């Protein structure tokens, strides 16, 4: 998705902006651009299609410098990737705008502006913003008021950074629906879509709230809240938060690709996600954070809170809330959705609570009925996924309308980014301490989500346990969880064997993935990984469904990957695999050591470390990640930034 970097400094900003764009590359983009106001007071711009490197080539030919600037990586929505559609967009050589999001009413606004004599040079929705700001400036408004007046007319989602040629000491940002943070430096300040863009220059950030604007001048940062029907701007104080990860955490280290680094980090980040969250009695409810305005806060009304706008949870209230949960509604997208699908099995079997899982983009557009006592659980690595956020906002609106509209008990976000919108807007959050995930293909975020979901499942079981002291299943699961990082390490040791196996996939056009029970979502996740980075068409089926249609696809050209842990469905899965083999299908089975499956003609078996059946989905996800990684490397695709995809999907 589009990425914004902008800043006002006491030195040339252009290099900081370009470095910031490189750091935003992982979000996915097709063109890039930068504009500065140079020392002579001229607004200068450079734009290029393709990688940031292409923009750098252009800047080598025609360098630009200045103390204030805005820069952008564009992921095309309106208008093809082309230089004239790349941001920044200008109006009258006076105003420069970069934008992330979609302006839904841009056609009507474009018509109005063309009627007023503005000439458009792009097909983008963004260009209307530049011209609208220019028109407001011409009417005598100062830049912050002009941007405010314009944003009041925009429908859709946006994060904006705007500067004006006549005022090189003022940078304005605005957010509504798309992420934007302010980087707090010493005598220099910045705006970006993501803190990662600014880590070389600061580790202190202000996470803007929905609807906030910010004005940056040499005198400092002023965050402005829109009040009085949005046309007044009132200064407001927002907390400055220190970023918890180092610059190195966002680097590739010794690895060729971020994806491999992130796969290999899993034992460590799983340990970190578990650390200090377990005690001999079970899951520590203090692991859950509450947002500033949540009724679950330890001391209601105390806004100073802990880091990231969070504060301690009232354990007694949370225990009661968890005891009251009668159903869990899980909402997520992509890989996070697959984590939710695994959790449904756990919630129903371990906690005895019915659970439903749905992709956010479907959930938000249908009439729904919430059963009484429903906990609304969102899952997201980034915490900025537009569909997931919209679903959360939707149910919050319902809650405000009252119980007759379908009341949810509370919202819980399981998320990897502490200051993200999802975390800040949910009642409760449980952070997955995966660290920055840069590769578009989600790996460590997925397995840490699963651990967080198991912790949540156990916390719900505990709360329902009515003080039951000797809960054998909980005790066993806690023990196994502690051992999990070690088991994951063992499954990473399969890397060499899987790299060889990958050769059998590189010339294939299709692959089927099979699993049963809680491994069915793991098969889905394996298929998603393979298709997104190797561009091989891959489908997952619950193995029992084969005979209802997909069996027709099986022949000697169809590789079939199966996940086969030791569980109650093992014998049934084996019969399904026989059905494949009988039709000439090539089997690649990731199996528990106790599953007696013999490798032979057309049957490849990779032995996965033994693990209890509940935690098996976490362990089996890892070899499938490795498989897709090695196939993609052999095919020579762009592993970390696969075509057409974005890391953080901040538009619908
Ligand atoms: O940040 P989120 O977890 O909300 O992102 C959801 C999906 O966009 C994401 O998981 C996507 O499917 C990944 N590229 C999969 O590897």
């Amino acid at each position: 998705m589009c990425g914004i970097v902008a800043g006002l400094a006491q030195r040339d900003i252009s290099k900081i902006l370009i470095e910031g764009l490189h750091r935003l590359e992982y979000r996915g983009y097709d063109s890039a651009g930068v504009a500065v106001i140079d020392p002579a007071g001229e607004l200068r711009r450079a734009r290029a299609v393709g990688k940031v490197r292409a923009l750098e080539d252009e800047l080598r030919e025609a360098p630009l410098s200045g103390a204030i600037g805005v820069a952008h990586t564009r992921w095309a929505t309106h208008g093809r990737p082309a230089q004239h559609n790349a941001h920044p967009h200008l109006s009258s050589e006076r105003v420069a705008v970069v934008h992330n999001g979609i302006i839904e009413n841009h056609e009507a606004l474009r018509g109005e502006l063309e009627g007023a004599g503005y000439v458009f040079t792009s097909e983008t929705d963004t260009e209307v913003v530049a011209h609208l700001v220019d028109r407001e400036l011409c009417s005598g408004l100062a830049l912050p008021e002009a941007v405010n007046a314009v944003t009041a007319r925009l429908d859709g989602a946006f994060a904006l950074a705007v500067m004006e040629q006549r005022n090189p000491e003022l940078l304005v940002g605005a957010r509504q629906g798309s992420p934007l943070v302010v980087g707090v430096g010493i005598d220099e300040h910045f705006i970006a879509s993501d803190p990662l863009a600014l880590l070389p220059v600061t580790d202190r950030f202000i996470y803007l709230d929905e609807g906030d604007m910010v004005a940056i001048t040499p005198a400092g940062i002023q965050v402005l809240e829109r009040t009085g029907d949005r046309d007044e701007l009132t200064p407001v104080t927002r907390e400055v938060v220190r970023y918890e990860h180092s610059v190195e955490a966002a680097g590739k280290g010794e690895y060729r690709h971020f994806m491999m680094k992130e796969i290999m980090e899993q034992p460590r980040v799983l340990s970190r996600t578990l650390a200090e969250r377990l005690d001999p009695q079970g899951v520590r409810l203090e692991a859950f954070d509450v947002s500033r305005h949540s009724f679950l806060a330890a001391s209601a009304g105390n806004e100073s809170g802990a880091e990231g706008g969070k504060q301690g949870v009232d354990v007694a209230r949370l225990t009661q809330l968890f005891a009251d949960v009668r159903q869990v509604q899980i909402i997520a997208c992509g890989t996070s959705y697959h984590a939710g699908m695994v959790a449904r099995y756990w919630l129903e079997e371990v906690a005895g609570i019915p659970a439903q899982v749905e992709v956010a983009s479907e959930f938000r557009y249908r009439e729904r009925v919430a059963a009484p006592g429903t906990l609304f659980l969102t899952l997201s690595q980034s915490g900025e996924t537009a569909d997931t956020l919209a679903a959360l906002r939707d149910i919050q609106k319902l809650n405000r309308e009252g119980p007759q509209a379908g009341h949810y008990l509370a919202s819980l976000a399981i998320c990897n980014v502490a200051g993200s919108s999802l975390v800040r807007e949910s009642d409760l959050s449980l952070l997955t301490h995966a660290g920055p995930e840069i590769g578009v293909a989600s790996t460590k975020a997925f397995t840490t989500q699963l651990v967080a979901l198991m912790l949540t499942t156990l916390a719900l079981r505990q709360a329902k346990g009515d003080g039951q002291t000797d809960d054998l299943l909980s005790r066993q699961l806690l023990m196994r969880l502690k051992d999990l990082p070690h088991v994951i390490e063992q499954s990473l040791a399969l890397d060499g064997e899987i790299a060889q196996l990958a050769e059998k996939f590189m010339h294939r056009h299709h692959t089927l993935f099979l699993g049963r029970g809680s491994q069915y979502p793991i098969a889905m996740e394996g298929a998603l990984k393979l298709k997104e980075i190797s561009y091989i068409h891959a489908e997952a089926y619950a193995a029992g469904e084969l005979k209802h249609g997909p069996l027709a696809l099986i022949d000697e050209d169809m590789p079939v990957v199966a996940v086969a842990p030791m569980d109650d469905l093992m014998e049934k899965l084996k019969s399904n695999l026989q059905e494949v083999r009988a039709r000439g299908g090539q089997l690649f089975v990731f199996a528990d050591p106790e599953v007696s499956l013999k490798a032979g003609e057309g049957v490849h078996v990779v032995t996965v470390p033994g693990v209890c059946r509940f935690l098996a989905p976490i362990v089996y996800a890892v070899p499938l990640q490795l498989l897709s990684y090695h196939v993609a490397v052999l095919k020579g695709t762009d592993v970390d930034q696969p075509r057409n995809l974005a890391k953080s999907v901040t538009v619908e």
Side-chain angles (χ1 to χ4, degrees):
M1 294 287 114
C2 299
I4 290 175
V5 203
L8 174 61
Q10 309 280 352
R11 51 179 167 154
D12 177 28
I13 196 99
S14 57
K15 289 200 175 51
I16 298 173
L17 297 183
I18 298 296
E19 172 61 23
L21 291 185
H22 275 301
R23 290 171 166 272
L24 290 180
E25 286 188 298
Y26 81 98
R27 294 164 67 94
Y29 70 105
D30 44 56
S31 49
V34 58
V36 297
I37 301 173
D38 73 10
E42 295 296 320
L43 187 52
R44 310 237 350 255
R45 168 175 71 171
R47 298 180 292 176
V49 175
K51 297 282 181 190
V52 175
R53 275 198 309 277
L55 177 64
E56 284 179 297
D57 290 343
E58 198 142 302
L59 290 172
R60 257 188 295 279
E61 297 284 306
L64 44 77
S65 68
I68 183 169
V70 295
H72 192 262
T73 47
R74 173 172 188 256
W75 189 82
T77 56
H78 297 68
R80 69 195 161 87
Q83 194 191 38
H84 70 280
N85 285 328
H87 301 210
H89 288 287
L90 308 187
S91 180
S92 315
E93 298 297 317
R94 215 177 9 232
V95 175
V97 172
V98 288
H99 164 225
N100 172 17
I102 290 180
I103 313 287
E104 285 165 4
N105 56 339
H106 72 105
E107 276 175 5
L109 293 169
R110 179 184 275 250
E112 179 188 316
L113 286 158
E114 282 172 339
Y118 282 97
V119 177
F120 280 75
T121 59
S122 77
E123 292 100 52
T124 65
D125 52 339
T126 305
E127 196 178 348
V128 298
V129 180
H131 296 316
L132 285 170
V133 170
D134 182 70
R135 198 164 63 166
E136 295 298 342
L137 290 172
C138 290
S139 78
L141 290 185
L143 187 61
E145 285 70 26
V147 173
N148 186 36
V150 169
T151 55
R153 298 200 57 201
L154 303 179
D155 294 338
F158 52 82
L160 297 167
V162 187
M163 66 180 186
E164 177 195 5
Q165 177 264 333
R166 281 181 314 193
N167 194 350
E169 299 208 321
L170 176 62
L171 175 67
V172 171
R175 82 157 275 182
Q176 185 159 304
S178 297
L180 201 63
V181 296
V182 180
V184 183
I186 300 169
D187 294 335
E188 55 182 21
H189 306 300
F190 309 90
I191 300 174
S193 301
D194 185 325
L196 288 179
L198 300 175
L199 287 186
V201 284
T202 185
D203 64 351
R204 294 185 305 140
F205 295 93
I206 296 171
Y207 292 86
L208 295 179
D209 273 2
E210 271 300 274
D212 277 355
M213 283 184 47
V214 62
I216 293 176
T217 64
I221 297 166
Q222 191 165 57
V223 180
L224 302 160
E225 198 175 37
R226 294 163 199 176
T227 49
D229 219 11
R230 290 171 55 132
D231 45 13
E232 283 162 38
L233 290 173
T234 314
V236 62
T237 307
R238 297 268 181 255
E239 189 186 9
V240 178
V241 175
R242 203 167 280 279
Y243 191 72
E244 57 177 328
H245 304 289
S246 63
V247 188
E248 292 73 48
K252 251 190 280 207
E254 69 199 62
Y255 291 95
R256 184 169 157 202
H257 297 104
F258 279 107
M259 183 179 176
M260 191 49 145
K261 174 185 175 240
E262 289 158 5
I263 290 174
M264 290 297 168
E265 277 174 348
Q266 289 176 109
R268 190 162 52 81
V269 297
L270 291 177
S271 294
R272 204 157 66 192
T273 303
L274 287 167
E276 293 168 27
R277 286 168 164 183
L278 303 177
D279 62 25
Q281 282 71 51
V283 177
R284 300 184 66 224
L285 292 189
E286 290 84 351
F288 293 85
D289 289 310
V290 293
S291 69
R292 271 196 305 231
H293 308 295
S294 172
F295 58 99
L296 293 160
S299 50
N302 168 13
E303 296 262 323
S304 61
E307 189 174 292
K310 306 263 108 196
Q311 52 191 330
V313 67
D314 182 321
V315 169
R317 255 187 237 167
L318 184 55
T319 308
Q320 188 53 58
L321 178 99
F322 277 178
D324 290 343
V325 172
R326 296 283 164 270
Q327 178 168 297
V328 180
Q329 172 68 64
I330 303 175
I331 294 297
C333 305
T335 287
S336 298
Y337 168 69
H338 297 153
M341 284 185 72
V342 173
R344 188 180 60 176
Y345 291 90
W346 292 341
L347 285 162
E348 302 213 341
E349 192 173 346
V350 178
I353 299 173
Q356 294 180 29
V357 197
E358 193 167 344
V359 287
S361 53
E362 287 300 314
F363 176 85
R364 58 184 288 203
Y365 288 117
R366 67 177 179 84
E367 292 299 321
R368 307 165 300 255
V369 182
T374 301
L375 176 68
F376 188 78
L377 196 168
T378 54
L379 290 165
S380 173
Q381 185 283 130
S382 60
E384 301 294 350
T385 301
D387 287 320
T388 310
L389 263 173
L392 170 68
R393 289 173 185 157
D394 232 54
I395 68 105
Q396 284 170 335
K397 189 162 160 272
L398 268 188
N399 267 15
R400 282 194 295 276
E401 283 166 12
Q404 70 287 357
H407 205 80
Y408 288 84
L409 208 54
S411 54
L412 163 63
I414 291 184
C415 186
N416 193 36
V417 181
S420 63
S421 305
L422 199 70
V423 166
R424 278 138 30 95
E425 294 180 32
S426 299
D427 296 315
L428 276 171
S429 60
L430 182 61
L431 290 177
T432 53
H433 294 302
E437 190 180 69
I438 310 289
V440 162
S442 200
T443 52
K444 60 176 180 172
F446 177 64
T447 47
T448 51
Q449 277 173 347
L450 289 174
V451 164
L453 283 161
M454 181 48 95
L455 292 177
T456 306
T457 304
L458 288 169
L460 286 162
R461 179 180 167 96
Q462 255 166 243
K464 294 205 171 301
D466 302 326
Q468 185 187 334
T469 47
D470 192 23
D471 176 358
L472 189 62
L473 179 60
S474 289
R475 268 200 295 124
Q476 282 174 342
L477 280 171
L478 289 171
M479 225 163 61
R480 304 268 188 253
L481 268 178
K482 285 182 195 152
D483 195 38
L484 183 65
H486 175 62
V487 184
I488 298 289
E489 230 152 56
Q490 293 172 341
S491 68
L492 287 172
L494 296 171
D495 185 44
E497 186 179 346
I498 293 172
Q500 282 182 2
L501 207 64
E503 289 168 17
K504 304 207 180 297
F505 289 77
M506 65 180 288
H507 299 299
R508 304 298 181 148
H509 297 292
H510 309 276
T511 304
L512 280 186
F513 282 73
L514 301 179
R516 296 201 72 141
S518 60
Q519 293 290 350
Y520 167 45
I522 297 305
M524 293 173 81
E525 176 57 11
L528 177 64
K529 287 286 87 87
L530 190 68
K531 70 183 111 177
E532 74 177 328
I533 60 168
S534 74
Y535 316 149
I536 293 175
H537 171 227
E539 292 299 330
Y541 281 93
E545 275 294 291
L546 260 192
K547 54 190 176 293
H548 297 293
L551 205 51
L553 293 170
I554 304 292
D555 61 16
E556 53 287 352
D557 289 330
M558 176 65 87
V560 177
V561 177
V563 269
M566 197 59 210
D567 61 20
D568 299 348
L569 291 166
M570 175 37 54
E571 289 308 322
K572 302 218 176 290
L573 177 69
K574 275 188 182 166
S575 310
N576 302 140
L577 299 184
Q578 292 302 338
E579 290 159 12
V580 171
R581 198 55 211 120
R583 283 149 187 92
Q586 300 290 306
L587 280 173
F588 297 84
V589 191
F590 292 85
D592 185 274
E594 284 179 37
V595 170
S596 51
L597 260 179
K598 284 218 167 42
E601 170 86 31
V603 183
H604 307 265
V605 180
V606 177
T607 306
V608 178
V611 58
C612 88
R613 70 184 174 93
F614 286 107
L615 302 186
I618 311 178
V619 174
Y620 280 71
V622 174
L624 298 191
Q625 296 168 350
L626 288 168
L627 178 65
S628 61
Y629 173 80
H630 287 295
V631 175
V633 170
L634 287 172
K635 289 196 72 182
T637 60
D638 189 342
V639 173
D640 287 330
Q641 290 166 38
R643 68 185 181 201
N644 306 337
L645 298 182
K647 179 67 183 167
S648 175
V649 186
T650 53
V651 296
E652 232 194 289

